[in-house]
């Protein structure tokens, strides 16, 4: 009588599939699993196959170089020309090279003119490859281990590339995420909102929850009202979906009004309003989670007694603010790591900020990105936010804000 198998063969095969081991099914055709020793033998074969697969993709960069433009964008979420522009920007920032490649470990390939740094021992990763590794991680919902297998490097090297790349982009964010200059208002952002009935509007503000892995500490603080853990991204977006101000890092349980109150936008404008809004006619649009201010126009709060004119204003206001929702959809659709972020809490703001920089870089370069279906419930909590502004803005200014909103409503 033939011995009974300890585990059915298909279960053993599925075990290796769950471990993402690229072991073809035919490897197990002649293996009969009767004992734990047989399972160990099967595992040794799986490891050998994994090592062979790792060797096969050691030259993955050559495969990338041979990709069509369409395939390159599908995998790295930007055009090849945008990647080259990014590489050029990073090479030009000599003052930040120390951040990306420590001088004592840096070397220059004289033939190709690319900065390199040792991975371990004598193995090196060129700047172009390091950027591809980082872009792959940000653009795909794969783990760093998978990225390491593809590019033939250690998982720790993938982390190093992603970490330094995001730190680098965060350090130069002011080059790509900029508040419009006074002479640019009518020609760019303001023109788009003017066409929607809001002359003087230069942007729309909103908050976005970035889903994160449940942190070991302060889990309650990061659990939002939808009962999942997140980190808040606050952004002001122009009519052409560019981020013109970004503030990120607060836990998901914090209300949008409190995040706003602690942002650089609020602090800068409170101390010096003309730094952002050179004249009293300029403002941004925000939903009812934000306070009504001379430079922040919100909809009328619906208490069941709104007039038809006020309801029409709220409808048009919402239609104008859709630009910020589209921007968040584009951001998450392109840089899919933001659909579920699994890094340390300390590093999360840098990853999110880097993705915002890449978002602007793509749009500025004419590199259209795919929009993700943004399904987050953005209905603001009904809370009294007057306390967030009364200590800084006088009642006179609040009345001015109410008059400005009423004037906009009359002209719609």
């Amino acid at each position: 009588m033939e011995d009974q198998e300890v585990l059915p063969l298909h279960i053993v095969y599925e075990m290796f599939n769950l471990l993402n081991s690229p072991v073809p099914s035919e490897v197990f055709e002649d293996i009969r699993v009767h004992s734990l020793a047989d399972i160990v033998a099967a595992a040794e074969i799986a490891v050998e196959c994994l090592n062979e697969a790792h060797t096969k993709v050691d030259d993955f960069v050559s495969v990338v170089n041979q990709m069509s433009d369409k395939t390159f964008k599908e995998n790295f979420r930007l055009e090849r020309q945008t990647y080259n522009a990014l590489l050029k920007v990073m090479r030009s920032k000599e003052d930040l090279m120390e951040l990306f490649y420590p001088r004592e470990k840096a070397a220059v390939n004289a033939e190709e003119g690319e900065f390199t740094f040792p991975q371990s021992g004598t193995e090196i990763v060129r700047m172009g490859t390091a950027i591809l590794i980082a872009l792959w991680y940000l653009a795909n919902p794969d783990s760093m281990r998978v990225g390491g297998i593809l590019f033939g490097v250690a998982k720790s090297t993938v982390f190093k590339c992603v970490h330094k790349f995001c730190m680098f982009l965060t350090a130069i964010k002011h080059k790509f995420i900029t508040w419009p200059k006074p002479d640019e208002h009518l020609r760019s952002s303001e023109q788009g909102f003017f066409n929607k009935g809001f002359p003087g509007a230069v942007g729309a503000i909103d908050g976005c929850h970035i889903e994160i892995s449940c942190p070991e500490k302060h889990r309650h603080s990061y659990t939002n009202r939808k009962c999942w853990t997140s980190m808040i991204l606050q952004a002001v977006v122009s009519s052409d979906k560019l981020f013109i101000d970004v503030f990120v890092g607060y836990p998901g349980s914090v209300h949008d009004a409190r995040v706003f109150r602690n942002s650089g936008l609020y602090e800068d404008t409170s101390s010096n309003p003309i730094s952002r809004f050179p004249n009293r006619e300029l403002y941004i649009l925000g939903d009812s989670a934000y306070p009504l201010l001379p430079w922040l126009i919100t909809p009328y709060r619906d208490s069941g007694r709104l007039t038809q004119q006020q309801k029409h204003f709220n409808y048009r206001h919402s239609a104008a603010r859709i630009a910020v929702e589209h921007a968040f959809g584009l951001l998450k659709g392109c840089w899919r790591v933001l659909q579920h972020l699994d890094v340390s809490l300390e590093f999360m703001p840098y990853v999110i900020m880097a993705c915002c920089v890449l978002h602007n870089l793509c749009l500025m370069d004419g590199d259209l990105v795919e929009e993700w279906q943004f399904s987050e419930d953005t209905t603001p909590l009904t809370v009294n936010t007057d306390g967030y502004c009364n200590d800084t803005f006088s009642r006179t200014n609040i009345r001015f804000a109410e008059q400005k909103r009423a004037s906009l409503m009359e002209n719609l």
Side-chain angles (χ1 to χ4, degrees):
M1 179 177 176
E2 187 176 355
D3 294 338
Q4 187 175 5
E5 293 184 355
V6 175
L7 289 175
L9 185 57
H10 72 277
I11 294 182
V12 177
Y13 179 55
E14 289 301 322
M15 287 170 58
F16 289 108
N17 278 344
L18 290 174
L19 293 173
N20 291 323
S21 177
V23 183
S25 57
E26 55 268 20
V27 169
F28 291 100
E29 288 181 355
D30 298 326
I31 297 179
R32 309 302 297 174
V33 183
H34 302 287
S35 65
L36 292 177
D38 292 333
I39 295 178
V40 173
E44 290 175 350
I45 293 176
V47 171
E48 183 178 352
C49 290
L50 183 59
N51 289 335
E52 290 178 0
H54 189 282
T55 302
K56 290 178 181 179
V57 294
D58 273 347
D59 200 21
F60 184 64
V61 175
S62 296
V63 177
V64 172
N65 291 335
Q66 296 173 10
M67 286 180 177
S68 66
D69 291 342
K70 179 181 178 181
T71 303
F72 184 89
K73 183 169 183 177
E74 287 175 350
N75 285 280
F76 296 96
R77 314 303 291 167
L78 42 69
E79 301 281 358
R80 199 183 297 272
Q81 64 181 19
T82 307
Y83 161 75
N84 292 331
L86 178 60
L87 185 58
K88 183 178 179 180
V89 168
M90 300 188 73
R91 286 175 177 168
S92 67
K93 299 298 179 182
E94 295 182 1
D95 56 326
L96 292 175
M97 273 301 148
E98 189 73 10
L99 172 64
F100 202 78
Y101 300 114
R103 188 174 302 277
E104 66 274 9
K105 293 185 179 181
V108 176
N109 184 310
E111 182 179 350
E112 299 184 11
E114 290 193 349
F115 285 83
T116 61
F117 68 90
Q119 171 199 325
S120 61
T122 59
E123 192 171 12
I124 59 176
V125 179
R126 294 189 177 93
M127 175 186 284
T129 303
I131 294 175
L132 287 175
I133 291 173
L135 288 175
W136 179 277
Y137 175 76
L138 297 177
N140 296 281
D142 294 332
S143 65
M144 291 188 180
R145 185 183 66 83
V146 173
I149 292 174
L150 274 176
F151 287 91
V153 298
K155 176 183 175 181
S156 59
T157 299
V158 175
F159 173 78
K160 181 189 294 186
C161 292
V162 173
H163 184 271
K164 291 181 179 292
F165 181 72
C166 292
M167 295 289 286
F168 189 97
L169 290 184
T170 300
I172 62 170
K173 66 180 185 294
H174 60 283
K175 298 291 184 181
F176 299 95
I177 302 176
T178 60
W179 194 265
K181 297 179 181 179
D183 60 348
E184 294 176 343
H185 286 308
L186 291 176
R187 295 198 306 270
S188 56
S189 186
E190 187 185 3
Q191 186 62 45
F193 291 109
F194 177 85
N195 294 336
K196 295 184 178 180
F198 290 89
V202 298
I205 186 173
D206 204 354
C208 173
H209 286 267
I210 305 297
E211 183 177 351
I212 65 174
S213 294
C214 185
E216 295 181 1
K217 297 181 180 180
H218 312 296
R219 175 178 179 177
H220 178 73
S221 297
Y222 285 89
T223 303
N224 58 38
R225 61 190 174 115
K226 302 283 287 185
C227 299
W228 44 274
T229 52
S230 63
M231 181 171 285
I232 298 175
L233 163 64
Q234 175 189 283
V236 182
V237 174
S238 66
S239 60
D240 48 6
K241 303 174 186 176
L242 284 171
F243 293 115
I244 59 177
D245 184 86
V246 171
F247 181 67
V248 61
Y250 265 75
S253 65
V254 180
H255 188 269
D256 284 351
R258 183 181 172 192
V259 175
F260 169 71
R261 171 65 183 274
N262 288 278
S263 67
L265 171 65
Y266 182 87
E267 293 177 355
D268 293 346
T269 309
S270 298
S271 59
N272 184 20
I274 64 174
S275 64
R276 305 258 186 170
F277 305 95
N279 65 69
R280 292 165 68 91
E281 301 303 318
L282 300 178
Y283 57 90
I284 59 177
L285 301 171
D287 62 29
S288 57
Y290 297 97
L292 176 65
L293 303 172
W295 49 271
L296 174 53
I297 301 301
T298 59
Y300 287 93
R301 195 175 298 279
D302 190 356
S303 58
R305 300 180 180 180
L306 293 182
T307 65
Q308 286 300 319
Q309 192 175 27
Q310 290 172 331
K311 291 180 180 179
H312 178 67
F313 173 86
N314 285 359
Y315 174 80
R316 296 287 294 275
H317 187 281
S318 177
R321 284 190 294 105
I322 201 67
V324 68
E325 301 296 340
H326 285 171
F328 288 147
L330 291 172
L331 180 71
K332 289 187 174 182
C334 186
W335 309 108
R336 287 171 285 189
V337 70
L338 298 183
Q339 294 178 22
H340 184 87
L341 193 53
D342 186 17
V343 294
S344 67
L345 283 176
E346 295 76 15
F347 186 43
M348 285 178 183
Y350 294 97
V351 175
I352 298 171
M353 184 64 74
C355 290
C356 291
V357 172
L358 289 170
H359 169 93
N360 276 14
L361 176 64
C362 288
L363 292 183
M364 290 175 177
D365 206 43
D367 190 350
L368 300 179
V369 294
E370 175 185 342
E371 183 169 354
W372 185 59
Q373 295 300 316
F374 190 77
S375 59
E376 178 183 332
D377 180 10
T378 56
T379 304
L381 293 175
T382 303
V383 297
N384 182 2
T385 57
D386 290 342
Y388 288 99
C389 58
N390 285 350
D391 59 335
T392 303
F393 293 94
S394 66
R395 294 305 305 172
T396 300
N397 281 330
I398 300 303
R399 285 194 295 271
F400 173 76
E402 293 171 346
Q403 292 170 2
K404 178 187 283 190
R405 182 170 64 180
S407 177
L408 289 169
M409 179 179 67
E410 293 292 334
N411 292 322
L412 280 178

